[in-house]
Amino acid sequence: MVKETIQIFARIKPTKKTVAVYSVDNENQTGASLEFFVPKDLADGFVNNKRECYKFRFQKVFDQVIKQEEIFENIAKPVADSVLAGYNGTIFAYGQTGSGKTFTITGGAERYSDRGIIPRTLSYLYERFSQDSSMVYTTHISYLEIYNEMGYDLLDSRHEASHLEDLPKVMIMEDQDQNIHLRNLSLQQSVSEEEALNLLFLGDTNRMIAETPMNQASTRSHCIFTVHLCRREPGSATLQRSKLHLVDLAGSDRVSKTGLNGQLLTDAKYINLSLHYLEQVIIALSEKNRSHIPYRNSMLTSVLRDSLGGNCMTTMIATMAVEKRNLEESISTCRFAQRVALIKNEAILNEELDPALLIAQLKREILSLKEELAIVTGEQRDDQLTPEEIQKLEELIGTFLDDPDPDATLSLGPDMRKIKYCFSLLKVIYVNGICMLVSLSINHFCILVKMLKKEKKRAQDAAAQFANTTNGPSQSSQSTSSVSTVVLSQEGRKQEAFEIFIRDHEDHLTIEDNKSLLKQRSARKLWEQQNEARNRISKFSQLFGKQSTALNINSVSLISPVSYKSIVGRLKALRTEIEHLQLLLERTKVKLQKDFHKWWSQEASSLQVAELTFLYLCMALTSTTASSSSIPLTGDQQTDADILAFIRARCVGSGAHLKPAGHRISRTGCEYPWQRSNAQTQVRANYI
């Protein structure tokens, strides 16, 4: 909100006649001043107490040499900027007949430089429109003439008026909020400066102009040229509406000085009366304790209600002709301007919602209220949903089902038709989903059964391999008479050692347990359940394909979603367990091989001496008799006894066995070293 008094300016009409004595001072910091000097008339007597000096203060005084361009820059341009910002604006010219009001507002028709405030303002506004691409502007123009307290539309395109009375009459209407509406006043849209100027020229052509003794082309009416501006950002629902009144008032004439008669005298009476009412309104507004402002006394004051003490930024131009014979009228005009300067206006930014959007919002609210009322009263609607509504509901269902949020809601409003349609659509989606899941379960069963068969075969192959390794025949124990059966090759010894190694190893028991678990995990029952499910689905598909209205779904025992999920869960658990057992078998096999190779590398060096000794003794036996006397001895009784005992034990196939003692594999993969059996350690110690 902007609170400020009405700005007043003074303009002196250029003249070549004898002028009154006046002075202009625009250098004062508080504002410009205009001073008139009235010499005493000796005819009134030597003793004369009349005032000789009249001084008035304005925002600025424009002397005779000022051009039209400077008038626009100082007066009209600031008001036009406020209108572009969303505030209402008014510029009106007041003065006697022939003082230059029409020339200031409209301009002269002889030279381009004589253009007045209206054409220059239109040019400035459309220039700003083209520069501001962030806003969308819409402009409408109206042109009202008030002649003898009657309003006429000067821009009515339906009439080709040859007389003023042929134009449509404008009536004033007031709503309950005391807002003024002008009935029959047309608003002509203009999208360019050229169209706006053409409307101005059309209105000037229809104006009431007459010749008077004071002015050859005197406008005998009040004319109000209004620019209605609407501004909004693209895509925004808020818009700004503002209006700019450019008012050319009729000139006040003193009937006694003009000598008018007939129709011109009647015109002068009406003009003076309307200006008198205007002055009364201004006097009432300037007084602080006045509660009633007589706006309704005349049409002019009713139309200018916002401009005088209302929501508007108003500027007044007081025009004066400074010839000596017009001195009293000039002083009267200045006094009127001083009273106008006391009026304070409160300009408010005019923002509102787009009427089209507001109407659409109200329509949606009315429709929602009707639907809620239908639900409360139980009224059923018979009209069907439109294809657009059905498409929108399907999109809403899809968005709702795709939303991962468990708290998501489906807002359908109070329309039962939409609710029933959505329920039926959800039912169709559910039934189709069950059928699809059951068909997919068949494929899952087949895949899992094949996987179980494959894993079972691999487990059987692994068990057979371990059985061949642990249960292989040992031919070395049966060779007692031949040296070739006693002396084993390197691979044979290693194989024999590996057989003994894995037989007593703790992981061997783990392998056997895992093999038994694999045998227990049979897929026969699952295969039977899969065949049973396939038969049930086949029966259900045959009944469902008939599309009979009397379809009895209860006659077929369907697989419930809970049962289906249970089967799928069991299959997944079985698959996971099989994979886990397979992994354990593979890891145990690798661990056994690593442990054996590590132990074999450690024991190979220590066993080499004993094996060479044994080979030497066997060779000696083949070349000599089997008696103890033919065997080379050491001479030590105890040692020789041990040698003979070792040879006898080796020949009968008892051999030296390796026994794992205390080997473990922890959960972290740590392992403990293998140790020789006590018997083997004792034999080796005795031999050494």
Side-chain angles (χ1 to χ4, degrees):
M1 180 184 297
V2 179
K3 294 183 178 181
E4 64 178 9
T5 57
I6 296 178
Q7 304 293 309
I8 58 173
F9 296 87
R11 185 180 189 185
I12 299 176
K13 179 183 178 181
T15 181
K16 296 180 180 179
K17 299 180 180 179
T18 304
V19 297
V21 180
Y22 72 96
S23 65
V24 176
D25 182 11
N26 286 320
E27 303 299 330
N28 197 336
Q29 295 181 355
T30 59
S33 62
L34 176 60
E35 189 173 4
F36 291 98
F37 300 96
V38 181
K40 291 184 178 181
D41 190 359
L42 296 178
D44 294 335
F46 183 77
V47 178
N48 188 355
N49 294 326
K50 290 184 178 180
R51 291 180 57 180
E52 297 182 4
C53 179
Y54 296 88
K55 189 174 183 179
F56 305 98
R57 193 171 299 280
F58 296 88
Q59 266 69 35
K60 193 170 184 179
V61 178
F62 300 95
D63 210 346
Q64 301 182 30
V65 296
I66 299 300
K67 303 298 183 181
Q68 293 280 69
E69 182 178 0
E70 189 173 351
I71 295 292
F72 170 76
E73 292 290 335
N74 288 273
I75 299 177
K77 188 175 180 179
V79 179
D81 289 335
S82 65
V83 172
L84 289 172
Y87 297 93
N88 295 333
T90 298
I91 301 175
F92 70 94
Y94 178 89
Q96 70 179 101
T97 299
S99 60
K101 298 183 301 299
T102 303
F103 182 82
T104 300
I105 297 297
T106 305
E110 298 179 358
R111 294 179 298 178
Y112 182 77
S113 60
D114 291 340
R115 291 179 304 151
I117 289 178
I118 294 179
R120 291 179 184 270
T121 301
L122 293 175
S123 177
Y124 176 74
L125 290 177
Y126 283 98
E127 181 181 359
R128 289 288 303 273
F129 296 163
S130 62
Q131 294 175 354
D132 188 4
S133 59
S134 62
M135 292 288 182
V136 178
Y137 294 91
T138 305
T139 307
H140 292 81
I141 292 176
S142 64
Y143 207 168
L144 173 66
E145 181 178 33
I146 301 175
Y147 176 71
N148 292 347
E149 286 300 310
M150 295 294 296
Y152 298 93
D153 182 14
L154 296 179
L155 300 181
D156 185 74
S157 58
R158 297 172 298 175
H159 300 80
E160 296 180 358
S162 58
H163 300 284
L164 182 64
E165 290 77 9
D166 297 335
L167 294 174
K169 295 182 180 180
V170 178
M171 307 297 294
I172 293 180
M173 302 183 68
E174 184 176 353
D175 58 17
Q176 59 183 2
D177 296 329
Q178 296 183 352
N179 296 318
I180 296 298
H181 302 277
L182 300 176
R183 184 179 180 182
N184 296 331
L185 181 64
S186 63
L187 292 177
Q188 303 294 332
Q189 184 175 3
S190 60
V191 297
S192 63
E193 179 185 356
E194 182 180 0
E195 293 184 5
L197 291 176
N198 289 335
L199 294 174
L200 173 63
F201 298 152
L202 174 63
D204 289 341
T205 303
N206 294 329
R207 287 186 66 175
M208 176 59 66
I209 299 175
E211 181 179 357
T212 65
M214 301 291 295
N215 188 1
Q216 293 182 354
S218 176
T219 54
R220 310 306 296 164
S221 61
H222 309 297
C223 290
I224 303 174
F225 185 89
T226 306
V227 179
H228 301 266
L229 184 62
C230 178
R231 186 180 83 151
R232 66 181 300 173
E233 294 182 3
S236 175
T238 304
L239 54 85
Q240 296 177 351
R241 295 187 183 273
S242 57
K243 56 185 178 181
L244 174 61
H245 293 305
L246 301 175
V247 184
D248 180 16
L249 297 177
S252 59
D253 296 323
R254 289 195 176 186
V255 179
S256 59
K257 291 180 61 177
T258 57
L260 296 176
N261 53 31
Q263 183 61 38
L264 295 178
L265 179 61
T266 303
D267 296 344
K269 290 179 180 180
Y270 277 107
I271 292 172
N272 290 339
L273 182 62
S274 62
L275 293 177
H276 169 69
Y277 290 140
L278 176 61
E279 186 174 4
Q280 282 187 345
V281 169
I282 291 173
I283 292 173
L285 290 170
S286 62
E287 295 178 357
K288 296 182 180 180
N289 297 326
R290 288 288 294 269
S291 59
H292 173 69
I293 309 300
Y295 289 114
R296 296 186 180 90
N297 288 348
S298 69
M299 187 174 188
L300 176 64
T301 55
S302 298
V303 174
L304 298 179
R305 173 179 293 185
D306 285 342
S307 303
L308 301 174
N311 176 26
C312 189
M313 291 185 176
T314 305
T315 299
M316 172 187 171
I317 305 174
T319 59
M320 288 165 282
V322 292
E323 291 90 351
K324 287 185 177 181
R325 63 187 182 96
N326 298 325
L327 184 58
E328 293 182 2
E329 283 78 3
S330 298
I331 294 175
S332 177
T333 300
C334 291
R335 288 174 176 170
F336 180 82
Q338 301 304 303
R339 288 192 292 269
V340 170
L342 299 176
I343 301 175
K344 291 184 179 180
N345 287 352
E346 296 181 358
I348 302 174
L349 187 64
N350 301 299
E351 288 186 345
E352 62 183 29
L353 292 176
D354 189 356
L357 296 178
L358 184 60
I359 292 173
Q361 179 181 356
L362 294 176
K363 286 183 178 179
R364 290 194 300 269
E365 184 177 354
I366 292 173
L367 181 60
S368 177
L369 293 174
K370 287 183 178 179
E371 292 174 348
E372 291 181 4
L373 182 62
I375 291 180
V376 173
T377 57
E379 180 182 356
Q380 299 294 332
R381 298 179 60 178
D382 298 332
D383 52 331
Q384 300 295 327
L385 293 173
T386 62
E388 292 79 8
E389 292 176 336
I390 293 176
Q391 181 180 1
K392 187 175 181 179
L393 290 176
E394 292 176 352
E395 293 176 355
L396 288 176
I397 290 293
T399 304
F400 173 72
L401 295 177
D402 294 338
D403 193 351
D405 186 7
D407 297 331
T409 58
L410 183 61
S411 179
L412 301 175
D415 193 348
M416 290 301 299
R417 301 174 304 159
K418 297 180 180 179
I419 296 174
K420 291 180 179 179
Y421 180 81
C422 288
F423 268 100
S424 62
L425 185 60
L426 287 173
K427 183 177 180 180
V428 172
I429 294 174
Y430 175 77
V431 173
N432 293 337
I434 291 297
C435 295
M436 182 179 66
L437 290 176
V438 173
S439 62
L440 289 176
S441 66
I442 298 176
N443 297 330
H444 290 170
F445 272 119
C446 295
I447 293 172
L448 290 175
V449 168
K450 291 180 181 178
M451 185 181 298
L452 289 174
K453 288 182 177 180
K454 184 177 180 182
E455 296 301 329
K456 183 177 180 181
K457 186 176 183 301
R458 291 181 62 183
Q460 291 175 353
D461 294 341
Q465 181 179 357
F466 280 107
N468 293 332
T469 303
T470 57
N471 299 323
S474 176
Q475 300 297 331
S476 60
S477 61
Q478 299 177 1
S479 300
T480 59
S481 61
S482 177
V483 176
S484 59
T485 60
V486 175
V487 181
L488 301 177
S489 64
Q490 182 72 13
E491 293 297 329
R493 293 195 304 270
K494 190 174 181 180
Q495 181 66 26
E496 181 183 3
F498 184 72
E499 292 173 359
I500 299 172
F501 184 87
I502 65 173
R503 184 179 59 191
D504 297 330
H505 197 284
E506 290 182 357
D507 286 352
H508 179 66
L509 300 177
T510 303
I511 292 173
E512 295 297 329
D513 293 340
N514 290 338
K515 288 166 59 177
S516 63
L517 288 175
L518 282 174
K519 293 179 180 180
Q520 294 175 5
R521 299 300 184 267
S522 175
R524 182 178 300 277
K525 292 183 179 180
L526 294 176
W527 179 260
E528 293 176 355
Q529 292 180 5
Q530 184 263 342
N531 290 333
E532 183 180 356
R534 181 182 297 175
N535 295 332
R536 292 179 180 179
I537 296 303
S538 177
K539 293 180 181 181
F540 174 75
S541 300
Q542 292 175 2
L543 293 177
F544 190 81
K546 294 179 180 181
Q547 298 182 355
S548 174
T549 57
L551 178 61
N552 186 8
I553 299 179
N554 295 327
S555 62
V556 181
S557 178
L558 299 180
I559 299 178
S560 65
V562 178
S563 177
Y564 170 75
K565 292 182 179 179
S566 177
I567 294 174
V568 172
R570 291 170 57 191
L571 287 173
K572 290 183 178 179
L574 181 59
R575 177 182 176 182
T576 303
E577 188 173 358
I578 291 174
E579 291 179 351
H580 179 67
L581 291 174
Q582 179 186 0
L583 181 61
L584 290 178
L585 286 173
E586 295 294 333
R587 287 182 177 179
T588 306
K589 288 171 60 178
V590 173
K591 183 64 66 176
L592 282 173
Q593 292 176 358
K594 287 184 179 180
D595 293 340
F596 174 75
H597 287 297
K598 183 178 179 180
W599 175 83
W600 180 259
S601 62
Q602 292 176 356
E603 297 297 329
S605 58
S606 60
L607 293 176
Q608 186 176 6
V609 176
E611 291 176 352
L612 289 175
T613 304
F614 175 75
L615 179 60
Y616 169 73
L617 294 176
C618 290
M619 290 175 65
L621 288 174
T622 58
S623 60
T624 62
T625 61
S627 63
S628 61
S629 60
S630 62
I631 299 174
L633 301 174
T634 61
D636 183 45
Q637 184 178 359
Q638 183 65 32
T639 303
D640 293 341
D642 291 337
I643 292 174
L644 294 174
F646 178 77
I647 292 174
R648 287 194 298 269
R650 186 69 176 175
C651 291
V652 298
S654 58
H657 289 184
L658 301 175
K659 181 179 181 181
H663 178 70
R664 291 171 54 197
I665 298 179
S666 66
R667 293 184 181 271
T668 58
C670 298
E671 59 184 14
Y672 300 100
W674 283 82
Q675 300 177 355
R676 292 183 297 274
S677 64
N678 295 331
Q680 179 189 3
T681 305
Q682 186 65 34
V683 170
R684 181 183 176 191
N686 294 334
Y687 176 77
I688 295 173

